[in-house]
């Protein structure tokens, strides 16, 4: 088989550039995830959305605005801004952007920017764990002019599993009946907190332990961890909104089935896999429909 040297070189070059970019993104997430979680607890803005916006707007912290002005969200000056500023070409030439002493100030100002403006009011009526609706809501409210803005945010969230930080924040946010949530797959669930047991959850929500174990496809020996999804109703046969999912390095079939609210046996069936088999990172799993036959 004949190989074209220029094609091989191109592929290797792309891989070399992709690796530092991915590493830079992971370092960015590690650096700012705690801030995003704390802001979510205070302002009820999903940590996943905040991190995805920061990643996109700041190019993983490498943009001129991020480097020179600690502005990680591309927030312009607007009339009420009395602080320092930098000027940068955006929709128009030489536009005024806010400048901060530290990135943390930018994250806080982003929270204030969304929570104090009436045009973003509808965002706070959305389920806090529904990052997809938040992404589309931001565009509808006029946060960005790019028509693909929601899709870009969702891609960043799902590729980097940023929704895990929403769950972490929710574990500290919600108590009692207030922690009942509705999965996008139309299933009632809660996020387990430290100290939760199958018995305590069954008592809290007036159900039976054996029902919870069945809904979550585990046995009694399965110990709950803070941040776990606990379904209070049966999972579905397929995903309502997501057709495919790319497997990440730490994924397994059970946690994917919990993430998307799909019964494990149907997740295996749709992907023509045997029970107990685990997918390799990078594999495309079908959450609706069926994997094409080879």
């Amino acid at each position: 088989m004949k190989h074209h040297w220029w094609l091989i070189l191109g592929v290797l070059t792309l891989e070399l550039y992709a690796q530092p970019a991915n590493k830079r993104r992971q370092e960015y997430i590690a650096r700012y995830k705690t801030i995003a979680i704390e802001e979510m607890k205070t302002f009820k803005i999903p940590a996943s959305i905040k991190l995805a916006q920061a990643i996109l707007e700041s190019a993983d912290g490498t943009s001129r605005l991020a480097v020179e002005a600690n502005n990680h969200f591309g927030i312009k000056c607007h009339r009420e801004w009395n602080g320092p500023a930098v000027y940068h070409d955006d929709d128009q030439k030489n536009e005024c952007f806010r400048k901060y002493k530290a990135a943390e100030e930018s994250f806080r100002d982003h929270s204030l920017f969304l929570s104090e403006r009436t045009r973003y009011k509808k965002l706070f009526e959305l389920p806090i764990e529904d990052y997809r609706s938040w992404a589309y809501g931001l565009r509808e409210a006029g946060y960005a002019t790019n028509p693909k803005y929601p899709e870009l945010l969702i891609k960043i969230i799902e590729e980097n599993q940023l929704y895990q930080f929403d769950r972490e924040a929710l574990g500290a946010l919600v108590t009692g009946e207030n922690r009942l949530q509705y999965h996008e797959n139309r299933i009632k669930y809660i996020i387990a907190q430290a100290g939760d047991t199958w018995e305590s959850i069954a008592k809290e929500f007036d159900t039976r332990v054996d029902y919870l174990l069945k809904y979550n496809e585990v046995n009694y020996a399965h110990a709950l961890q803070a941040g776990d999804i606990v379904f209070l109703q049966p999972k579905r046969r397929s995903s309502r909104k997501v057709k495919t999912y790319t497997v990440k390095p730490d994924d397994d079939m059970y946690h994917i089935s919990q993430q998307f609210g799909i019964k494990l046996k149907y997740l295996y069936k749709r992907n023509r896999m045997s029970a107990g088999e685990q997918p390799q990172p990078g594999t495309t799993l079908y959450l609706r429909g069926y994997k094409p036959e080879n």
Side-chain angles (χ1 to χ4, degrees):
M1 182 176 180
K2 185 176 180 181
H3 295 280
H4 296 285
W5 65 268
W6 50 268
L7 180 59
I8 296 172
L9 181 61
V11 171
L12 290 173
T13 301
L14 285 172
E15 289 179 351
L16 287 172
Y17 276 100
Q19 289 171 359
N22 183 61
K23 182 181 178 183
R24 183 166 59 241
R25 177 156 298 180
Q26 294 309 310
E27 289 174 346
Y28 187 91
I29 292 168
R31 182 175 181 181
Y32 295 111
K33 65 182 182 181
T34 302
I35 297 173
I37 290 168
E38 291 304 315
E39 291 295 301
M40 179 174 173
K41 292 178 185 177
T42 303
F43 290 93
K44 310 303 186 288
I45 298 167
S48 59
I49 285 289
K50 184 178 284 287
L51 277 172
Q53 284 194 275
I55 286 167
L56 181 60
E57 299 286 352
S58 75
D60 303 304
T62 65
S63 70
R64 176 176 173 251
L65 283 175
V67 173
E68 296 182 13
N70 286 310
N71 187 332
H72 288 242
F73 295 90
I75 297 180
K76 296 178 183 178
C77 292
H78 300 284
R79 287 178 295 178
E80 73 274 15
W81 181 251
N82 296 315
V86 295
Y87 294 85
H88 179 70
D89 292 347
D90 191 51
D91 296 325
Q92 300 178 15
K93 290 276 189 179
N94 208 33
E95 291 193 85
C96 182
F97 287 85
R98 302 182 182 192
K99 183 177 182 179
Y100 308 96
K101 292 180 180 178
E104 290 76 6
E105 291 184 6
S106 178
F107 275 72
R108 172 52 57 91
D109 198 37
H110 173 261
S111 298
L112 296 171
F113 189 83
L114 293 185
S115 62
E116 294 179 351
R117 281 171 167 71
T118 56
R119 66 174 171 153
Y120 297 115
K121 183 179 179 180
K122 288 186 177 180
L123 288 173
F124 296 88
E125 298 172 2
L126 298 171
I128 195 169
E129 78 282 0
D130 189 352
Y131 59 83
R132 289 174 167 270
S133 293
W134 273 78
Y136 285 102
L138 282 165
R139 184 186 65 185
E140 291 169 8
Y143 190 95
T145 56
N146 185 345
K148 295 290 186 181
Y149 195 73
E151 289 82 0
L152 292 171
L153 293 182
I154 291 168
K155 186 172 187 290
I156 291 170
I157 290 170
E158 294 182 347
E159 284 186 346
N160 297 279
Q161 301 182 14
L162 301 184
Y163 43 75
Q164 65 183 300
F165 304 124
D166 296 341
R167 296 171 187 170
E168 186 173 340
L170 283 169
L173 270 175
V174 291
T175 57
E177 293 183 2
N178 290 330
R179 51 180 187 153
L180 183 63
Q181 301 178 57
Y182 291 87
H183 192 276
E184 63 180 18
N185 225 19
R186 297 178 300 180
I187 320 166
K188 292 180 182 179
Y189 77 100
I190 64 167
I191 301 296
Q193 302 180 51
D196 275 339
T197 65
W198 296 112
E199 288 86 354
S200 68
I201 293 173
K203 182 177 180 180
E204 181 179 348
F205 292 96
D206 193 24
T207 187
R208 289 168 39 175
V209 170
D210 57 330
Y211 289 169
L212 292 178
L213 297 176
K214 182 178 179 181
Y215 299 156
N216 292 277
E217 301 184 278
V218 293
N219 58 38
Y220 187 75
H222 180 90
L224 286 171
Q225 301 292 325
D228 282 351
I229 292 175
V230 179
F231 288 110
L232 306 178
Q233 295 176 312
K235 292 185 283 186
R236 308 295 181 183
R237 296 186 178 192
S238 64
S239 171
R240 293 177 60 234
K241 295 185 177 182
V242 184
K243 183 176 181 180
T244 61
Y245 173 74
T246 302
V247 177
K248 306 299 184 299
D250 295 330
D251 280 339
D252 60 47
M253 291 291 276
Y254 176 72
H255 287 95
I256 294 169
S257 77
Q258 290 291 99
Q259 177 185 334
F260 292 100
I262 302 172
K263 291 181 179 178
L264 192 53
K265 70 175 182 179
Y266 288 104
L267 187 60
Y268 276 113
K269 186 176 181 180
R270 294 187 181 286
N271 292 279
R272 307 184 190 279
M273 296 170 63
S274 301
E277 184 181 353
Q278 297 299 331
Q280 294 296 315
T283 300
T284 298
L285 290 183
Y286 282 75
L287 310 180
R288 284 192 288 123
Y290 291 88
K291 179 181 177 180
E293 294 190 48
N294 293 332

